Amino acid sequence: RQAGLAALLRAVSVPVVVVSRLPEVDDWLDAMEAGAADYCAEPIEQRQLDWILESNLERRRQAVAAA
């Protein structure tokens, strides 16, 4: 499972936020080690997800501007 996620993350040039129904630490760690920008698990609060997405988009904008 982690190998597939890692291959997907290498194939895209945008930050990937994993949204999952699996709250286990091992799933979070697998995603982060594979290169995910962030991980959000249930219970998911809309405000939390909005913040995660916006902060990752802002980091991406800053990286593009600096390049």
Side-chain angles (χ1 to χ4, degrees):
R1 186 171 74 184
Q2 184 178 1
L5 180 59
L8 171 67
L9 293 171
R10 282 192 305 273
V12 297
S13 62
V14 296
V16 174
V17 175
V18 176
V19 179
S20 176
R21 296 187 71 151
L22 304 172
E24 289 80 18
V25 172
D26 288 341
D27 296 307
W28 165 80
L29 188 56
D30 286 347
M32 299 307 287
E33 286 179 343
D38 213 325
Y39 185 94
C40 187
E42 283 195 348
I44 300 168
E45 294 288 332
Q46 186 64 47
R47 191 171 65 166
Q48 175 190 18
L49 184 56
D50 289 347
W51 187 90
I52 289 170
L53 294 173
E54 185 56 41
S55 66
N56 277 283
L57 286 171
E58 183 58 31
R59 273 182 272 189
R60 175 72 175 162
R61 284 184 206 110
Q62 290 174 358
V64 168

